[in-house]
Amino acid sequence: MQRSAGSRRQRRHNSRPFLGGAMAVIAAGALTVTGLVSTAQAADVNNAKNAGFESGLANWSCSAGSGATVSSPVRSGTSALKATPAGQDNAKCTQTVAVKPNSTYALSSWVQGGYSYLGVTGSGTTDVSTWTPGSSTWTKLSTSFKTGASTTSVTVYTHGWYGQSAYFADDVEVTGPDGGGGGEQPPVLPGTPAGLTAGATTTSSIALSWNAVSGATGYKVYRNGTQATTATGTSATITGLTADTAYQFSVSATNAAGESAKSAAITARTAKQGTGPGPGTTVPKHAVTGYWQNFNNGAAVQKLTDVPADYDIIAVSFADATATPGAVTFKLDSAGLNGYTDAQFRADIKTKQAQGKNIIISIGGELGTIRVDNDASATAFANSVYALMQDYGFNGVDIDLENGLNATYMTKALRQLSAKAGSGLVITMAPQTIDMQSTSGEYFKTALNIKDILTVVNMQYYNSGSMLGCDGKVYSQGSVDFLTALACIQLEGGLDPSQVGIGVPASTRGAGSGYVSPSIVNAALDCLTKGTNCGSFKPSKTYPSLRGAMTWSTNWDATAGNAWSKAVGPHVRSLP
């Protein structure tokens, strides 16, 4: 939407390893091992690599494919070794470790499960080993060895025993002077995850995702302050939830050093029981949306109660930006609307709602300066829109941002708003044609991201010029083919037909270009829903649940004697 040069408030739509195991740096002092006592120096390091198996089997070699890493049981971090003897194979896993000549090393590992052995070969002196017949809990095996005068590497090994069950090993240490490999430094506590957001929801689940944290080997997800699950990647789906219920989520990062602080919490709501792909609202199966102008630009000035009954959703245009990024406010232009008072406006909202209509607040327009591009602005947007809904009684929000939209943060904002408002929230969008040419566009991505709570996308089929249809051909605005071939992109790109509407000007004065007569709109609706009245483009299938149509604006419609709504409204209601 844009404001004309001759009007202060006119707007219309416009185109255009530390790796894992617990690595103890042993301070100077006595270390007791099997049959030996040695003095570890302050500069001693753990010379084993991937000692906690946090990087899988990197640096390790296991006989006959007997070894694998597992996430449970683990002594520390998120992984441990599981090795399974079979036949004549005792599940031996080895690592070549760099050492210094004429030096003493403490060798240890924590083990669990079946018979477990720990030892070293190639020491240049006396090779050593130790073992345990098995344990149901983590048990530490410890010994030590001294290297020969020319020994620069040794082979450390673990193995089980023939015919016995699998054993687990974690946190291997070869502690002593740095053999030249630099040692494995203790892991550093990971940072706090950022970018937590909710994705698709069902009546019993909510999908979450977040940004990766450097040094993290896993993540913990919390629901209402209690750990709900763990993940090794940057996403998780929380299940077992109650329908139409808001939950609070946060996530932390983990590695062998411990757990980070929890992320900032977000709120997400499960879908309402028994609803389809859209939200559980009072919006009819087939609906007409009209924008109501809160300014005088030469079109008929209206009170809300002047808007014809043919309109099912009335988008109050527009909310305005505030000094707080992302936040919006609204003030009725009483002077421009011939003295229409705020009290009358509020009363008229209730009157229309009593007639089954949805009154929503539209955000943006061509000159709208609202930007939602970080977590703070997303929260400010959600909080301020919800405050307007509570203050005026609006049923929802329309997104008409024509100067850029960030899918990541607008998704967050709308999900926060949904969690506050509940399943009755109406969310509409009015992208330009260029915004919906590809699912990679930010508008299209936003629509798909919130598909479970989205009511309808009423793309602006005007002020556009020629555009590609879903068949790859170029179509010019102002024709039935332009409407149907471009709608097909959304219908085949992932939106449910109930979430697709056709947005057109109500009269030749409502837009710079792209006006089509109501008969063309009705023909496009017939083509898409029934396969009749098509032009040269005919979709490969029909979409009987197509939501309907939208116009800019109810005021321009009134200026033209409400010709648009009188023709399109009854036709929409007659769709299958």
Side-chain angles (χ1 to χ4, degrees):
M1 299 180 185
Q2 71 180 19
R3 301 177 184 183
S4 70
S7 172
R8 182 177 62 86
R9 293 191 58 82
Q10 180 186 2
R11 295 174 179 164
R12 60 175 171 81
H13 287 79
N14 187 25
S15 73
R16 40 125 239 125
F18 0 65
L19 303 180
M23 307 301 152
V25 177
I26 305 173
L31 173 65
T32 301
V33 295
T34 304
L36 294 169
V37 176
S38 65
T39 301
Q41 302 301 312
D44 286 352
V45 298
N46 181 13
N47 291 271
K49 303 297 184 185
N50 190 22
F53 303 95
E54 302 300 310
S55 294
L57 294 180
N59 303 102
W60 292 92
S61 177
C62 295
S63 61
S66 58
T69 54
V70 294
S71 58
S72 179
V74 297
R75 180 181 175 269
S76 68
T78 60
S79 298
L81 168 69
K82 178 183 180 180
T84 307
Q88 298 301 306
D89 180 67
N90 64 358
K92 186 174 185 178
C93 296
T94 62
Q95 179 179 149
T96 300
V97 178
V99 293
K100 278 191 172 182
N102 295 321
S103 301
T104 299
Y105 290 85
L107 172 65
S108 67
S109 177
W110 290 83
V111 296
Q112 185 181 152
Y115 280 62
S116 304
Y117 289 74
L118 173 69
V120 62
T121 60
S123 64
T125 58
T126 302
D127 292 340
V128 298
S129 65
T130 183
W131 68 286
T132 177
S135 172
S136 60
T137 59
W138 286 105
T139 301
K140 189 175 186 179
L141 292 176
S142 300
T143 186
S144 71
F145 63 92
K146 186 172 182 178
T147 58
S150 59
T151 303
T152 57
S153 68
V154 297
T155 298
V156 172
Y157 64 83
T158 64
H159 68 72
W161 199 247
Y162 310 101
Q164 300 299 312
S165 60
Y167 70 92
F168 301 88
D170 203 357
D171 300 338
V172 178
E173 296 186 26
V174 186
T175 305
D178 187 349
E184 185 163 283
Q185 299 301 314
V188 177
L189 198 68
T192 303
L196 178 61
T197 187
T201 67
T202 68
T203 56
S204 61
S205 68
I206 295 175
L208 302 171
S209 61
W210 54 89
N211 299 336
V213 175
S214 177
T217 56
Y219 301 89
K220 293 183 179 181
V221 182
Y222 292 85
R223 182 186 70 222
N224 295 341
T226 300
Q227 184 178 324
T229 190
T230 61
T232 55
T234 56
S235 64
T237 298
I238 310 303
T239 59
L241 306 179
T242 302
D244 196 21
T245 302
Y247 293 89
Q248 189 177 75
F249 297 99
S250 58
V251 62
S252 65
T254 62
N255 63 14
E259 180 180 2
S260 74
K262 296 176 185 175
S263 69
I266 66 166
T267 301
R269 180 179 290 270
T270 50
K272 186 176 181 181
Q273 189 71 44
T275 61
T281 71
T282 58
V283 176
K285 176 183 177 181
H286 299 298
V288 175
T289 302
Y291 285 81
W292 178 86
Q293 299 176 185
N294 179 40
F295 49 85
N296 184 348
N297 66 344
V301 173
Q302 291 181 312
K303 299 180 175 65
L304 280 180
T305 49
D306 295 332
V307 176
D310 286 306
Y311 291 98
D312 303 291
I313 302 174
I314 302 171
V316 173
S317 311
F318 295 95
D320 293 309
T322 74
T324 301
V328 298
T329 188
F330 175 79
K331 183 178 180 180
L332 191 73
D333 184 12
S334 295
L337 302 182
N338 300 336
Y340 189 28
T341 68
D342 184 76
Q344 287 177 303
F345 175 71
R346 292 171 185 267
D348 288 350
I349 290 176
K350 290 183 172 60
T351 298
K352 277 294 186 181
Q353 289 169 334
Q355 297 168 359
K357 310 303 180 182
N358 286 272
I359 314 301
I360 62 177
I361 182 68
S362 183
I363 312 295
E366 190 214 7
L367 299 184
T369 58
I370 297 93
R371 298 197 65 84
V372 178
D373 52 14
N374 55 40
D375 286 322
S377 58
T379 298
F381 180 92
N383 289 343
S384 60
V385 172
Y386 186 58
L388 290 178
M389 291 176 62
Q390 290 180 303
D391 187 13
Y392 286 91
F394 295 129
N395 298 101
V397 64
D398 170 68
I399 307 301
D400 182 24
L401 297 176
E402 300 181 14
N403 293 294
L405 181 148
N406 183 301
T408 297
Y409 294 104
M410 182 52 71
T411 297
K412 289 185 176 184
L414 292 173
R415 289 212 171 275
Q416 289 182 47
L417 178 61
S418 175
K420 293 173 180 291
S423 59
L425 177 68
V426 176
I427 300 177
T428 69
M429 301 174 72
Q432 300 167 98
T433 52
I434 191 66
D435 296 320
M436 302 300 284
Q437 284 277 285
S438 168
T439 55
S440 63
E442 295 298 293
Y443 244 110
F444 214 140
K445 286 194 293 185
T446 302
L448 294 176
N449 286 348
I450 63 164
K451 183 177 176 180
D452 56 301
I453 57 173
L454 174 66
T455 306
V456 62
V457 175
N458 292 304
M459 189 175 76
Q460 306 172 36
Y461 291 78
Y462 48 96
N463 291 335
S464 169
S466 299
M467 285 287 163
L468 291 173
C470 67
D471 57 356
K473 296 180 180 179
V474 176
Y475 293 93
S476 299
Q477 64 181 1
S479 67
V480 66
D481 288 333
F482 187 76
L483 303 182
T484 55
L486 269 66
C488 174
I489 297 175
Q490 299 170 59
L491 292 164
E492 294 302 313
L495 292 180
D496 189 86
S498 67
Q499 296 171 320
V500 176
I502 296 175
V504 295
S507 73
T508 55
R509 298 177 64 188
S513 64
Y515 171 76
V516 292
S517 68
S519 62
I520 296 296
V521 178
N522 291 344
L525 294 171
D526 288 342
C527 178
L528 293 169
T529 59
K530 297 182 287 188
T532 61
N533 294 327
C534 298
S536 62
F537 172 82
K538 186 171 183 177
S540 59
K541 61 182 178 181
T542 59
Y543 309 91
S545 61
L546 189 84
R547 181 65 81 172
M550 171 274 282
T551 195
W552 176 264
S553 62
T554 65
N555 305 75
W556 285 117
D557 187 25
T559 305
N562 293 317
W564 188 90
S565 56
K566 287 178 180 178
V568 176
H571 197 79
V572 167
R573 288 192 292 276
S574 72
L575 294 175

